[in-house]
Amino acid sequence: MAEGLRIGRAIVVPDGELSERFSRSSGPGGQGVNTADSRVELSFDVARSPSLPETTRARMVGRLEGRLVDGVITVAASEHRAQLANRRAARDRLETLLTEAAAPPPRKRRPTKPSRAAKQRRLDAKKRRSRTKQARRGDWD
């Protein structure tokens, strides 16, 4: 279909490392529903892929560990009636999944303190609110 599966900006997985399986899909299809193998299963061996850098592979295996079977991730697509459309959908889904898994970890949060002026504004607002509420209170005997 394309020259490979692009993961992020730098990594491209060649098509030779992807394997596709076709089977009969459930759902509508008319006369060809029992003959056309339109369901697509796209598999990629994350754990043993030579095209992934070691650090990225370790990160991906850690993030996808619940979905991996012997280091292989499989994505199925059967929402379209045409096999070609399902192949495209499976590739897109796998690309999104792998890109999210390969993303670098988020930056560590640097804790900050409110400034002295911000603390003062907060206290002034509380005092103002308190006076407003006190003014509403009628001294009922």
Side-chain angles (χ1 to χ4, degrees):
M1 294 191 98
E3 73 283 338
L5 198 65
R6 182 168 289 285
I7 301 174
R9 287 191 298 238
I11 304 168
V12 176
V13 175
D15 286 335
E17 292 186 35
L18 303 173
S19 70
E20 289 179 318
R21 272 186 49 215
F22 305 101
S23 59
R24 295 202 180 114
S25 179
S26 62
Q31 290 175 316
V33 73
N34 293 326
T35 57
D37 289 342
S38 62
R39 182 175 188 268
V40 177
E41 280 186 18
L42 187 61
S43 299
F44 173 58
D45 193 344
V46 178
R48 289 175 279 287
S49 171
S51 59
L52 294 175
E54 193 57 46
T55 54
T56 306
R57 179 184 303 120
R59 189 181 315 131
M60 290 172 82
V61 167
R63 289 185 180 168
L64 296 170
E65 65 185 344
R67 291 194 62 162
L68 295 177
V69 178
D70 294 331
V72 178
I73 187 158
T74 303
V75 173
S78 61
E79 60 267 16
H80 303 286
R81 284 174 58 171
Q83 186 188 85
L84 193 62
N86 281 330
R87 288 176 75 183
R88 207 169 289 124
R91 280 182 78 91
D92 291 346
R93 207 172 294 155
L94 185 64
E95 189 173 325
T96 303
L97 197 65
L98 294 178
T99 301
E100 288 173 2
R107 287 199 177 125
K108 192 162 174 66
R109 182 186 171 277
R110 179 185 291 167
T112 57
K113 288 183 181 176
S115 66
R116 185 179 294 161
K119 287 181 189 172
Q120 192 58 50
R121 281 193 303 271
R122 189 180 121 261
L123 292 174
D124 290 345
K126 285 175 71 133
K127 285 177 186 168
R128 208 170 26 252
R129 187 80 182 136
S130 171
R131 283 195 295 270
T132 302
K133 289 191 170 191
Q134 278 178 355
R136 286 185 196 150
R137 263 192 262 161
D139 288 335
W140 308 104
D141 294 330

